[in-house]
């Protein structure tokens, strides 16, 4: 698609599952979820992807590698 990407904004938050979310994830209602909201931007500062992902709180772990600096 010849899209040049610039950056991603992500918001991670805890959320209690609603009934339909709990059913889809095969868990009890009002269980803890991790919600990740993500917007991916191109170099023209236009959003090119919007995502909302739900993860079971009892089955999620994350490993992040973050560079100490990005200037080269």
């Amino acid at each position: 698609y010849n899209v040049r990407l610039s950056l991603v904004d992500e918001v991670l938050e805890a959320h209690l599952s609603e009934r339909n979310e709990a059913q889809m994830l095969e868990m009890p209602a009002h269980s803890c979820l991790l919600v990740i909201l993500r917007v991916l931007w191109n170099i023209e500062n236009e959003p090119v992807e919007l995502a909302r992902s739900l993860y079971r709180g009892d089955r999620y772990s994350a490993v992040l590698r973050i560079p100490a600096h990005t200037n080269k």
Side-chain angles (χ1 to χ4, degrees):
Y1 297 103
N2 200 30
V3 176
R4 296 182 61 203
L5 303 176
S6 172
L7 58 93
V8 174
D9 291 322
E10 281 196 347
V11 176
L12 288 77
E13 59 188 14
H15 168 76
L16 293 178
S17 64
E18 296 183 13
R19 199 169 112 198
N20 64 329
E21 295 167 336
Q23 287 175 339
M24 287 188 290
L25 294 170
E26 300 178 354
M27 59 193 303
H30 309 294
S31 296
C32 186
L33 297 176
L34 176 66
V35 180
I36 301 178
L37 304 170
R38 178 177 50 246
V39 181
L40 176 61
W41 302 86
N42 66 15
I43 62 172
E44 287 83 29
N45 203 33
E46 300 167 327
V48 295
E49 178 190 67
L50 173 63
R52 180 177 183 259
S53 303
L54 303 176
Y55 298 91
R56 289 180 58 141
D58 62 342
R59 294 188 182 174
Y60 185 85
S61 68
V63 177
L64 305 173
R65 176 176 286 179
I66 301 170
H69 59 83
T70 57
N71 297 334
K72 292 186 177 187

